[in-house]
Amino acid sequence: MNGIRILIVDDEIEFAAALAKRLVRRGASASVVESGEKAFTALEERGADVVLLDMNMPDLDGMQTLKIIRKNFPATAVILLTGAGDLSRHMRTLEAGAFDFLHKPVTLERLQERILAAVGRGPTG
């Protein structure tokens, strides 16, 4: 994961901060913001290779945030994370341009696999 820039967008700050620490230990550069609006600012200022985006947030939800990221930052891969969801929601996010849609809790190994695939360094399946 060396050199991969990851932006974690999640209103559950403790979860996001712990995840960021674990990703940094694996060689990634990871930062955390708690809203879609802050994600746009972070992407403008620092960029990211991959955004890990929570689906359920106040104000802008994951789908709204995804659509804006796809429009304004098309080179950035987005992986949606959610604690709840169904197949139709999963399909809508993929149709809207998400690289993947994962259910929490997800193992760090699975998440790393999907991040590497999103940046073209691993299998896509």
Side-chain angles (χ1 to χ4, degrees), residues 24-25 49 52 62 66 87 89 91 99 103 107-108 118-119:
V24 166
R25 276 184 270 191
D49 300 306
L52 301 179
L66 168 64
L87 185 57
R89 181 183 264 190
M91 295 308 295
F99 178 79
H103 291 274
T107 66
L108 189 57
V119 296

Side-chain angles (χ1 to χ4, degrees), residues 26-125:
R26 292 187 177 222
S29 168
S31 57
V32 174
V33 296
E34 66 272 6
S35 71
E37 290 292 335
K38 290 184 179 182
F40 308 140
T41 301
L43 288 168
E44 287 172 5
E45 291 176 355
R46 303 185 289 278
D49 300 306
V50 177
V51 172
L52 301 179
L53 178 60
D54 184 30
M55 192 68 181
N56 299 311
M57 295 185 295
D59 300 324
L60 290 177
D61 69 14
M63 183 63 87
Q64 293 166 313
T65 303
L66 168 64
K67 288 178 181 178
I68 295 169
I69 291 172
R70 295 281 21 102
K71 180 180 177 191
N72 296 312
F73 308 95
T76 302
V78 179
I79 298 173
L80 280 129
L81 300 173
T82 186
D86 57 38
L87 185 57
S88 65
R89 181 183 264 190
H90 181 135
M91 295 308 295
R92 286 193 310 271
T93 62
L94 296 177
E95 289 167 359
F99 178 79
D100 209 344
F101 182 98
L102 301 172
H103 291 274
K104 295 177 187 174
V106 61
T107 66
L108 189 57
E109 290 73 25
R110 177 71 175 148
L111 185 58
Q112 178 176 323
E113 172 187 297
R114 301 315 297 147
I115 290 168
L116 290 171
V119 296
R121 296 191 197 173
T124 58

